[in-house]
């Protein structure tokens, strides 16, 4: 069990560019979550998947954001036409299922939009 | 809408002191509550998870309690060490709807001094 991994760990991009982040959950976990954390705040929920199905999206997830989880394994989060307000830490978590299962978080991807 | 508050926002204590971190939530309809630790620029490490039917959980020098009816949880750290310095976050999962998404507080930044 290698834990949840995320790539890249850091990304610096210019405003208006597109970026894509990847998350690899713990192998047997069927639920995968994306959160966003800005400086000094707690993480905020963005979206989650059960296997390959995206079951819920937060209102924080504007039309410029899209997430996928093909084949129910790894997930990608794409941000199109980045804005300075998108600068944040993007955290991925996974869990074995619902109910009493803990969510395990990855190290995050720090995005800086200049 | 669930709101989670953590007090104090920051805390500095001398090594060896016992301390208590507080977490309160506005909607008592929760399934469970998790305490996390976050080191600067890093992801979240799960410390303890308390189910709504439980009153407390213990792991080593950590003890977390839950009073669901009053919307409160505390994290007790015994014999604090400099290595305990980090931000501590609590998060709740709703018992109705909401999938498995967590609502986080803004955290307590702890510094344990030599």
């Amino acid at each position: 069990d290698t834990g949840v991994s995320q790539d890249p760990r850091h990304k610096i991009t210019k405003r208006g560019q597109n970026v894509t982040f990847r998350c690899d959950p713990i192998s047997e976990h069927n639920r995968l979550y994306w959160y966003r954390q800005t400086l000094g705040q707690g993480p905020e929920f963005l979206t989650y998947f059960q296997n390959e199905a995206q079951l819920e999206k937060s209102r924080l997830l504007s039309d410029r954001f899209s997430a996928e989880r093909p084949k129910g394994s790894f997930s990608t989060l794409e941000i199109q036409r980045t804005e300075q307000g998108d600068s944040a830490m993007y955290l991925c978590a996974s869990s074995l299922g619902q109910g009493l299962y803990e969510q395990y978080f990855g190290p995050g991807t720090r995005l800086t939009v200049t | 809408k669930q709101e989670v508050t953590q007090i104090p926002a920051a805390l500095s204590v001398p090594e060896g002191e016992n301390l208590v971190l507080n977490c309160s939530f506005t909607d008592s309809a929760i399934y469970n509550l998790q305490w996390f630790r976050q080191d600067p620029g890093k992801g979240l490490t799960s410390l303890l998870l308390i189910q709504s039917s439980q009153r407390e959980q213990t792991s080593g020098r950590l003890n977390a309690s839950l009073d669901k009816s009053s919307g409160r949880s505390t994290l007790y750290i015994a014999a604090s060490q400099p290595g305990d310095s980090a931000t501590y976050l609590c998060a709740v999962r709703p018992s109705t709807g909401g999938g498995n998404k967590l609502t986080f507080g803004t955290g307590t930044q702890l510094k344990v001094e030599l």
Side-chain angles (χ1 to χ4, degrees):
Chain A
D1 178 4
T2 58
V4 178
S5 62
Q6 293 187 245
D7 184 70
R9 296 290 306 277
H10 303 274
K11 178 71 176 179
I12 300 174
T13 191
K14 293 184 178 179
R15 187 176 54 188
Q17 298 295 305
N18 299 342
V19 295
T20 300
F21 310 141
R22 176 179 171 127
C23 170
D24 287 88
I26 294 172
S27 59
E28 66 269 25
H29 286 185
N30 60 6
R31 288 206 171 197
L32 185 148
Y33 313 81
W34 286 98
Y35 293 82
R36 182 173 70 184
Q37 185 179 26
T38 53
L39 202 61
Q41 301 297 314
E44 294 176 291
F45 170 80
L46 292 178
T47 187
Y48 88 94
F49 294 83
Q50 179 165 309
N51 298 313
E52 66 276 8
Q54 187 174 17
L55 296 186
E56 187 174 352
K57 295 195 296 184
S58 162
R59 293 175 186 175
L60 293 175
L61 218 62
S62 74
D63 292 344
R64 297 183 297 105
F65 288 71
S66 63
E68 295 182 342
R69 193 184 182 196
K71 303 179 182 178
S73 56
F74 70 91
S75 175
T76 58
L77 178 68
E78 181 184 16
I79 309 174
Q80 296 182 327
R81 303 181 304 282
T82 53
E83 302 172 356
Q84 287 188 324
D86 297 331
S87 295
M89 174 79 88
Y90 290 84
L91 295 161
C92 175
S94 70
S95 70
L96 193 54
Q98 63 177 356
L100 51 79
Y101 298 106
E102 292 180 56
Q103 292 187 26
Y104 293 87
F105 281 75
T109 294
R110 167 73 67 187
L111 173 66
T112 301
V113 182
T114 61
Chain B
K1 179 188 173 186
Q2 178 73 270
E3 292 184 2
V4 180
T5 304
Q6 292 186 246
I7 294 173
L11 181 63
S12 182
V13 300
E15 182 180 12
E17 192 163 298
N18 302 327
L19 57 101
V20 174
L21 307 181
N22 297 291
C23 171
S24 62
F25 45 95
T26 55
D27 187 347
S28 62
I30 66 168
Y31 197 94
N32 58 41
L33 182 146
Q34 249 179 294
W35 280 94
F36 294 89
R37 168 186 173 137
Q38 186 173 34
D39 292 287
K42 303 293 178 67
L44 279 63
T45 301
S46 180
L47 298 173
L48 291 163
L49 181 146
I50 311 177
Q51 300 299 335
S52 61
S53 58
Q54 298 175 318
R55 296 286 292 182
E56 65 179 84
Q57 280 285 344
T58 298
S59 176
R61 295 183 294 108
L62 305 179
N63 176 276
S65 68
L66 174 64
D67 183 342
K68 195 178 77 165
S69 61
S70 67
R72 295 179 185 175
S73 176
T74 61
L75 179 67
Y76 175 83
I77 302 176
S80 58
Q81 303 170 357
D84 295 330
S85 298
T87 296
Y88 292 80
L89 295 154
C90 70
V92 297
R93 187 213 151 191
S95 59
T96 56
N100 227 21
K101 67 180 180 184
L102 299 176
T103 300
F104 284 83
T106 53
T108 294
Q109 189 172 3
L110 172 66
K111 183 176 182 180
V112 180
E113 299 175 320
L114 290 169

